[in-house]
């Protein structure tokens, strides 16, 4: 109706208007005058629009006096007001209505109030009952069952019938525990009983299969008591909303969140794959496995052609849900490779790069099982009826396949669907990145570890000075292995050098630096430098290495520091000379005594430069135990160095224990699994060369004494049963003693050592070292050292603070 009060255009009155039931509408402006008057209002009060429009609305009230009170009530109501109004009809009769007023209603103008009321009466009618019944029956997405006060089933709406799975005629009068036997039926019955007894609504979240459905559904169930006007409970309505999709959506989201927090926690390939299995079994599947392409074991990257046709996969890890056959666990083996023809789900997933759903009755699945009787038997035994094969792809590379199997069980009978496949693909994509990270890290680590092991001693050299046992454990940290190393270097005079060092940093660079330092130590050791001098030269080398690294990296300098402990043990004098460059002190355990750190002056770490190193000389009785180690051993587990050193001394207290067993004991007690830092351990038990295997003479500085020296040496060889070496030894003695008399300074000493080789040493107090040269035809001298070099297997010069020693070694004849 427009503001003039005319009837809206149309085809005629509606059924509601024709029956006398409609809506009366009146719009009042801010001045209290009527601006709109509907046909329903004319039917209600009898006034035509022409009689009302533009006139005060207060004239329509049966009692004009409350007009002011009504205006105040409506004005205080805000946007909407409702209440009882007494109106005066055109014939003078009184009518009471319940009115509803809206302020500034659309299309009415600002400051107006739109009053409406029903003109057909407010009492319930038979039509209302029909509407309520139809709403109950046809209400979608809301399943309702009615039970009487005795909890007997009466009726269900159309949405509930598929849930019950039986018509009303079959189950009417039965209790709910007689209709269904699902695990939560007792909870449903309890909810109905509590609603009847308390008269208050009850709630239950149910998760069960209903009405013969295969899929388990999630339900939000309310038990609503149906009461009489006097409050008596006449029955109860079971109202259920199917929340299955929301439940599975939340479950998928939780799985993805769990995968994000759990998968990839380490750089261990098998552990990363295992984490994927732990997330998906049994939540998503009853069995799952990760299989990687065996071709990746040979090539870092694969072409697309390698993913078509029959593929070979190696099982990395698998996981069974609780209740799986124990026999099956023993049949399936980790690490075994298997071939998959091109029509199988794993091969199809690799070829297409997308997940594949497959059920037990699919043609390809049946063909696969017909060619693999053992696999078919396993699947039948477990009842697997559905599977997914999802490719593992990361950074454009295909790594392998994750397979998921599902079987029927009481809480889940449905097969995998597209939602499950999307979830599996998302999980596999996350896992593939972590697996690829672990694979790349493992390859790099294996390369660095191979490099480091190739740079460490593969076997201990033959020598008589000490009995040796060693251990090296690489770090398990993600930063890679470190640069720890050890070495045992035979020296002249039956001596031996014992070395343990630690390069700063981790990875291939640290391993390469370690190899360079170990080579340098062996080279300097061959020159027979004292420990303090050797560390000084090594310090210079590290400084040069730091400069090289800094230049390559575009920086003026870079850290390439290291620590090192270098000791030389002499089995003739039973002395140990040791020096340290920032390294933990050696531990000494004397026979029958306790172990204690050796008080060695610790110099600065290598690479600082400008500071001196100091050597310490100690006497060690035969069978003393010496331990050299890196700081990763004593500082493992977050210990302070002093605490770890005290613990190491306790473990080394038994100096007579077998060295290999003692090494294992030390590592087992001080380390908890793989260490955070590299660990190098070198244990040495000292030996002594007795007086019967060493002979020495003081030689006068007179050419006549050469003959006596040859004679004494020959006699000693006869006493040792080495007469076959007499001629060669006499020549060596003659040349070395002659050189010492002619070019050296007294006193001159001749010493023979019967060890694994025959060692001949001539010492004097001159620091001038002889040089090997080739004499010309008419030269009278210069042939002596050339003859010695030809006869001896090894020879050299060893300097001391008060002179030098020229030595020559001859290998013993077999049987000597």
């Amino acid at each position: 109706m427009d503001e003039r009060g005319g009837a809206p255009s149309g085809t005629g009155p509606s059924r509601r208007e024709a029956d006398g039931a409609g809506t009366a509408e009146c719009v009042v402006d801010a001045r209290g005058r009527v601006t709109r008057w509907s046909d329903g209002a004319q039917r209600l009060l009898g006034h035509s629009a022409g009689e009302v429009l533009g006139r005060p609305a207060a004239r329509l009230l049966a009692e004009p006096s409350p007009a002011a009170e009504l205006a105040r009530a409506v004005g205080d109501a805000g946007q909407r007001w409702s209440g009882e109004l007494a109106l005066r009809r055109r014939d003078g009769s009184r009518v009471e209505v319940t009115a509803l007023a809206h302020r500034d209603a659309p299309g009415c103008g600002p400051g107006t109030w739109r009053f409406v009321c029903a003109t057909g009466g407010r009492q319930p009618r038979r039509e209302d009952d029909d509407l309520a019944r139809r709403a109950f029956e046809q209400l979608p997405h809301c399943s309702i069952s009615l039970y009487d006060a005795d909890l007997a089933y009466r009726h269900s709406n159309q949405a509930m019938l598929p849930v019950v799975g039986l018509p009303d005629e079959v189950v009417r009068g039965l209790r709910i525990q007689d209709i269904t036997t699902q695990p939560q039926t007792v909870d449903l019955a309890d909810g109905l009983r509590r609603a009847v007894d308390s008269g208050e609504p009850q709630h239950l979240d149910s998760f069960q299969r209903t009405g013969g459905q295969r899929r388990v559904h999630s339900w939000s169930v309310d038990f609503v008591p149906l009461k009489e006007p006097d409050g008596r409970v006449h029955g109860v309505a079971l109202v259920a909303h199917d929340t299955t999709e929301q439940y599975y959506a939340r479950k998928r989201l939780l799985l993805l969140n769990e995968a994000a927090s759990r998968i990839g926690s380490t750089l261990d390939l098998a552990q990363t794959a295992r984490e994927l299995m732990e997330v998906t079994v049994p939540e998503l599947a009853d069995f799952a496995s990760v299989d990687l392409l065996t071709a990746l074991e040979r090539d870092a990257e694969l072409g697309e052609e390698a993913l078509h046709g029959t593929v070979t996969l190696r099982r990395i890890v698998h996981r069974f849900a609780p209740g799986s056959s124990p026999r099956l666990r023993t049949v399936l083996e980790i690490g075994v490779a298997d071939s998959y023809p091109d029509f199988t789900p794993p091969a199809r997933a690799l070829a297409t790069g997308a997940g594949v759903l497959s059920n037990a009755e699919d043609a390809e699945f049946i063909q696969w099982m017909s060619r693999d009787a053992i696999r078919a038997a396993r699947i039948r035994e477990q009842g697997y009826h559905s599977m997914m094969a999802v490719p593992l792809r990361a950074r454009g590379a295909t790594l392998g396949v994750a397979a998921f199997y599902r079987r029927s069980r009481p809480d889940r009978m449905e097969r995998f669907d597209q939602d499950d496949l999307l979830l599996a693909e998302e999980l596999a994509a996350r896992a593939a990145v972590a697996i690829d990270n672990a694979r790349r890290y493992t390859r790099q680590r294996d390369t660095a570890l191979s490099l480091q092991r190739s740079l460490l001693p593969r076997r201990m050299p033959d020598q008589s000075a000490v009995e040796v046992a060693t251990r090296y454990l690489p770090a398990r940290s993600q930063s890679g292995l470190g640069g720890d190393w050890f070495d045992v270097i035979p020296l002249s005079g039956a001596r031996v050098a014992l070395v343990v060092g630690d390069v700063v940093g981790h990875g291939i660079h640290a391993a390469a630096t370690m190899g360079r330092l170990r080579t340098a130590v062996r080279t300097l050791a061959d020159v027979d430098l004292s420990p303090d001098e050797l560390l000084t030269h090594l310090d210079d080398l590290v400084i040069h290495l730091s400069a090289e690294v800094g230049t390559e990296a575009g920086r003026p300098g870079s850290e390439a520091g290291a620590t090192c402990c270098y000791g030389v043990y002499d089995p003739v004098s039973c002395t140990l000379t040791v020096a340290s460059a920032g390294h933990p002190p050696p531990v000494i355990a004397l026979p029958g005594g306790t172990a204690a750190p050796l008080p060695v002056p610790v110099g600065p770490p290598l690479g600082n430069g400008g500071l001196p190193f100091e050597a310490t000389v100690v006497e060690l009785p035969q069978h003393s135990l010496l331990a050299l180690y890196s700081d990763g051993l004593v500082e493992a587990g977050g210990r302070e160095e002093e605490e770890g050193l005290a613990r190491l001394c306790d473990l080394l207290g038994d100096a007579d224990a077998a060295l290999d067993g003692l090494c294992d004991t030390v590592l087992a007690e001080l380390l908890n699994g793989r260490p955070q830092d590299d660990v190098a351990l070198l244990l040495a038990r000292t030996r002594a060369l007795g007086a019967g295997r060493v002979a020495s003479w003081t030689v006068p500085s007179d050419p006549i004494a050469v003959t006596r020296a040859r004679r004494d040496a020959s006699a000693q060889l006869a006493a040792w049963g080495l007469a076959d070496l007499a001629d060669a030894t006499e020549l060596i003695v003659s040349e070395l003693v002659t050189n010492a008399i002619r070019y050296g300074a007294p006193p001159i000493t001749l010493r023979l050592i019967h060890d694994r080789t025959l060692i001949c040493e001539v010492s004097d107090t001159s620091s001038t070292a002889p040089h090997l040269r080739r004499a010309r035809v008419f030269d009278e001298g210069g042939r002596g050292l050339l003859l010695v070099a030809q006869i001896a297997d090894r020879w050299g010069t060893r300097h001391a603070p008060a002179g030098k020693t020229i030595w020559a070694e001859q290998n013993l004849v077999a049987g000597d």
Side-chain angles (χ1 to χ4, degrees):
M1 175 179 182
D2 58 20
E3 293 187 1
R4 295 186 302 273
S9 61
T11 58
S14 66
R15 177 183 174 185
R16 181 177 175 84
E17 292 173 341
D19 292 342
T23 300
E25 176 188 18
C26 174
V27 177
V28 180
D29 64 14
R31 297 179 300 167
R33 297 183 179 275
V34 178
T35 60
R36 182 181 300 177
W37 186 257
S38 71
D39 291 347
Q42 181 175 340
R43 286 194 298 272
L44 178 64
L45 297 183
H47 298 289
S48 67
E51 297 171 338
V52 177
L53 290 176
R55 301 176 187 273
R59 296 178 56 184
L60 300 175
L61 298 175
E63 301 174 1
S65 58
E69 289 80 357
L70 174 61
R72 283 194 299 272
V74 172
D76 295 340
Q79 291 297 115
R80 189 174 69 176
W81 172 89
S82 66
E84 299 291 331
L85 289 180
L87 304 177
R88 180 73 64 187
R89 286 194 174 101
R90 189 173 187 276
D91 60 6
S93 61
R94 176 190 177 98
V95 59
E96 294 184 357
V97 298
T98 299
L100 178 64
H102 296 276
R103 184 185 182 93
D104 298 333
C108 297
T112 61
W113 283 91
R114 177 176 178 265
F115 289 84
V116 292
C117 67
T119 62
R122 290 173 291 162
Q123 296 299 318
R125 298 179 299 146
R126 182 174 181 179
E127 181 181 345
D128 297 335
D129 294 338
D130 291 340
L131 290 175
R133 178 179 57 79
R134 290 170 183 164
F136 171 78
E137 293 290 347
Q138 301 176 15
L139 189 65
H141 311 305
C142 184
S143 305
I144 304 175
S145 289
L146 301 179
Y147 294 80
D148 60 24
D150 295 327
L151 305 185
Y153 175 89
R154 306 310 305 169
H155 184 56
S156 291
N157 68 353
Q158 294 178 10
M160 180 63 86
L161 287 177
V163 178
V164 176
L166 295 169
D168 285 350
E169 295 76 14
V170 175
V171 296
R172 184 175 288 117
L174 299 178
R175 295 185 173 230
I176 192 169
Q177 54 266 43
D178 300 321
I179 299 173
T180 178
T181 58
Q182 293 299 311
Q184 284 192 297
T185 300
V186 175
D187 298 328
L188 294 172
D190 182 64
L192 291 170
R193 169 55 60 194
R194 286 188 286 109
V196 171
D197 293 345
S198 67
E200 299 294 333
Q202 306 295 321
H203 181 78
L204 173 67
D205 289 320
S206 175
F207 186 72
Q208 60 182 345
R209 191 171 61 254
T210 58
Q213 297 176 344
R214 293 180 60 87
R215 188 182 187 188
V216 174
H217 284 243
S218 173
W219 300 94
S220 176
V221 184
D222 291 293
F223 307 93
V224 183
L226 306 177
K227 301 180 182 179
E228 298 287 353
D230 59 3
R232 290 186 300 108
V233 177
H234 184 67
V236 60
L238 188 156
V239 183
H241 292 86
D242 191 344
T243 59
T244 303
E245 295 305 321
Q246 298 92 314
Y247 170 81
Y248 280 106
R250 289 195 304 270
K251 188 174 181 180
R252 287 191 288 269
L253 182 59
L254 288 174
L255 272 180
L256 289 174
N257 289 338
E258 184 179 4
S261 62
R262 292 187 61 180
I263 298 176
S265 63
T266 71
L267 286 175
D268 180 88
L269 193 150
Q271 177 60 28
T272 301
R274 194 174 298 113
E275 289 166 349
L276 173 63
M277 301 294 94
E278 292 171 352
V279 169
T280 55
V281 178
E283 293 300 322
L284 177 64
D286 298 296
F287 172 80
S289 64
V290 170
D291 302 82
L292 299 185
L293 287 160
T294 56
L296 287 174
E297 300 169 6
R298 303 183 299 272
D299 302 314
E301 304 292 343
L302 297 178
E304 289 296 326
E305 65 280 357
L307 304 178
H308 295 273
T310 299
V311 294
T312 303
L313 300 168
R314 188 180 305 280
R315 178 66 48 84
I316 301 300
V317 66
H318 57 227
R319 181 178 173 88
F320 298 86
S324 299
S325 168
R327 190 185 71 83
L328 184 61
R329 297 173 183 267
T330 61
V331 172
L332 297 178
E333 297 183 14
I334 303 295
V336 175
D338 200 358
S339 295
Y340 295 83
D342 57 357
F343 58 83
T344 61
R348 288 161 53 200
L350 289 174
T352 61
V356 174
L357 272 177
S358 184
N359 296 318
E361 64 274 12
D362 293 347
E364 293 86 353
F365 195 89
I366 294 174
Q367 183 183 6
W368 183 23
M369 295 300 101
S370 66
R371 294 195 181 186
D372 194 336
I374 297 178
R375 190 186 304 272
R378 298 170 187 166
I379 290 177
R380 283 194 301 271
E381 179 182 353
Q382 292 301 306
Y384 297 137
H385 55 69
S386 182
M387 78 162 292
M388 298 183 293
V390 182
L392 296 172
R393 293 179 57 85
R395 301 178 179 94
T398 301
L399 309 177
V401 172
F404 305 91
Y405 290 81
R406 182 177 283 180
R407 66 167 180 255
S408 297
R409 64 188 197 195
D411 63 333
R412 182 175 64 203
M413 296 179 63
E414 71 275 10
R415 301 168 183 244
F416 288 123
D417 56 22
Q418 287 297 326
D419 289 338
D420 294 322
L421 183 60
L422 290 175
L423 174 61
E425 288 178 332
E426 177 65 24
L427 293 172
R430 298 191 180 196
V433 174
I435 289 174
D436 189 51
N437 289 340
R439 184 178 67 95
R440 292 170 182 265
Y441 166 77
T442 300
R443 184 186 302 113
Q444 294 173 359
R445 176 184 171 81
D446 289 345
T447 300
L449 192 57
S450 297
L451 172 63
Q452 186 175 45
R453 284 176 174 165
S454 69
L455 298 174
L456 289 173
R458 298 190 179 184
R459 55 181 295 272
M460 291 297 101
D462 294 332
Q463 45 80 36
S464 302
V466 291
E467 175 191 358
V468 175
T470 60
R471 293 292 186 274
Y472 169 76
L473 289 180
R476 66 177 176 87
S477 62
Q478 295 186 3
S479 56
L481 74 164
D484 292 13
W485 90 93
F486 60 85
D487 212 342
V488 177
I489 308 170
L491 301 178
S492 64
R495 299 170 306 137
V496 65
L498 306 173
V499 193
V500 168
D502 185 359
V503 174
V504 172
H506 294 83
I508 293 180
H509 173 70
T513 302
M514 177 273 290
R516 298 174 76 173
L517 293 184
R518 176 173 176 254
T519 301
V521 169
R522 295 187 69 90
T523 302
L524 294 172
D526 281 342
V527 184
D528 269 324
L529 295 179
S530 63
D532 51 336
E533 288 183 287
L534 183 142
L535 291 182
T536 300
H537 286 281
L538 200 61
D539 184 45
D540 292 337
L541 174 63
V542 174
I543 292 175
H544 291 310
L545 291 177
S546 298
E548 288 179 8
V549 173
T551 301
E552 293 172 0
R555 301 187 300 271
S558 181
E559 183 177 356
T563 64
C564 182
C565 183
Y566 181 85
V568 175
Y569 174 70
D570 187 345
V572 177
S573 62
C574 294
T575 58
L576 172 70
T577 305
V578 61
S580 173
H583 205 81
V587 173
I588 300 293
L590 301 180
T594 58
L598 184 64
V600 177
V602 180
L606 300 173
N608 289 320
L611 297 175
F613 299 97
E614 184 177 348
T616 297
V617 181
V618 294
E619 292 188 5
L620 296 180
Q622 186 176 5
H623 304 311
S624 295
L625 182 62
L626 171 65
L628 301 179
Y629 53 91
S630 60
D631 57 2
L633 178 66
V634 293
E635 295 178 359
R639 298 188 201 91
E640 293 294 333
E641 182 177 323
E642 293 76 9
E643 178 187 353
L645 188 56
R647 181 66 178 136
L648 177 61
C649 291
D650 292 339
L651 296 172
L652 296 178
D654 184 6
D656 297 327
L659 293 188
D660 279 317
L662 195 55
C663 280
D664 295 335
T665 300
V666 168
L667 296 182
E669 293 294 330
L670 294 182
L671 304 180
N672 184 14
R674 288 278 298 278
Q676 291 289 341
D677 194 10
D678 284 24
V679 170
L681 174 64
L682 188 156
L683 297 183
R685 179 174 290 118
T686 62
R687 299 177 178 136
L689 286 177
R693 301 180 69 87
V694 179
S696 63
W697 302 268
T698 300
V699 180
S701 184
D702 187 340
I704 300 177
V706 175
T707 303
R708 178 63 182 269
R710 288 200 301 265
R711 187 165 55 248
D712 291 340
S714 181
Q716 185 61 57
L717 292 182
W720 284 339
L722 302 177
D724 292 340
L725 298 178
D727 292 340
T729 304
E730 286 184 13
L731 181 57
I732 292 173
V733 169
S734 178
E735 293 298 332
L736 295 183
V737 171
T738 299
N739 274 343
I741 294 173
R742 179 176 297 181
Y743 304 109
I748 300 171
T749 303
L750 169 64
R751 184 169 71 165
L752 295 179
I753 302 173
H754 182 194
D755 189 27
R756 294 175 179 268
T757 61
L758 177 63
I759 304 169
C760 176
E761 297 181 343
V762 174
S763 304
D764 66 84
T765 57
S766 172
S767 59
T768 302
H771 297 282
L772 181 65
R773 65 186 179 89
R774 191 173 297 276
R776 289 171 294 185
V777 176
F778 299 105
D779 288 347
E780 295 183 2
R783 296 178 175 83
L785 285 182
L786 182 61
L787 291 174
V788 171
Q790 294 292 324
I791 296 171
D793 294 289
R794 294 176 64 226
W795 77 279
T797 303
R798 180 171 71 248
H799 289 271
K804 66 178 181 301
T805 298
I806 310 298
W807 56 269
E809 290 185 7
Q810 300 176 76
N811 293 330
L812 300 181
V813 179
D816 290 339

